[in-house]
Amino acid sequence: MFDIGFFELALISLLALIVLGPERLPRAARTAGLWLGRIKRSVSGIQQEISAQLEAEELRQTLNEQKKQLDETLAHARNEAREVETTITRSSPASQEDANASPAADSAHSTTETTSGEQETSATPTSESREPRS
């Protein structure tokens, strides 16, 4: 804070002793110490609040940047999914007609029996699931 050496402190205390006198000097020194302590605590509290606000602002900026990146990634993934869906619908119009004619196309999952007697679930209807097993 201030660059006060021993000589400066001795000069200030000698002047205070001359001006205030020996009776009032201890009380004045105590009061000055209390005021300096309060000022130091106030400055320290303000510094802590400022650093906390700066840290919170940095966190907000980081969060916003990550949110933007996530939104961009999500938009990119959605675009790719649309492209894949468009490619699939363009490449297989005959399979769509078969799927529309099949009763298994109404449900999202179809079940078929395997050779061991268990049921197998598939996400897409296949030609095996549409044909009855013998």
Side-chain angles (χ1 to χ4, degrees):
M1 217 163 137
F2 297 109
D3 190 20
I4 299 176
F6 179 73
F7 180 71
E8 287 87 6
L9 284 175
L11 183 63
I12 290 171
S13 59
L14 182 63
L15 286 174
L17 182 60
I18 293 171
V19 172
L20 295 174
E23 298 90 30
R24 292 188 287 178
L25 184 62
R27 191 174 343 139
R30 201 171 319 131
T31 304
L34 290 174
W35 278 100
L36 283 175
R38 287 180 187 170
I39 290 170
K40 284 183 180 181
R41 282 191 298 274
S42 297
V43 168
S44 175
I46 290 171
Q47 286 176 341
Q48 288 176 352
E49 286 181 28
I50 288 172
S51 65
Q53 289 294 326
L54 288 174
E55 186 176 324
E57 184 61 31
E58 288 176 7
L59 287 174
R60 279 188 209 108
Q61 288 177 353
T62 304
L63 185 65
N64 286 337
E65 289 173 3
Q66 290 178 352
K67 184 179 181 286
K68 286 178 185 178
Q69 289 176 352
L70 209 78
D71 289 341
E72 289 172 1
T73 305
L74 182 62
H76 182 67
R78 285 181 180 166
N79 287 338
E80 285 184 3
R82 285 186 196 123
E83 289 175 7
V84 169
E85 183 180 2
T86 306
T87 305
I88 290 173
T89 56
R90 287 182 187 166
S91 66
S92 61
S95 64
Q96 279 185 340
E97 292 173 5
D98 291 343
N100 289 339
S102 168
D106 294 338
S107 66
H109 297 284
S110 63
T111 19
T112 59
E113 287 193 17
T114 60
T115 56
S116 63
E118 299 174 328
Q119 287 189 350
E120 179 182 275
T121 305
S122 63
T124 58
T126 61
S127 60
E128 294 176 0
S129 64
R130 286 188 224 124
E131 296 177 1
R133 292 199 154 230
S134 41

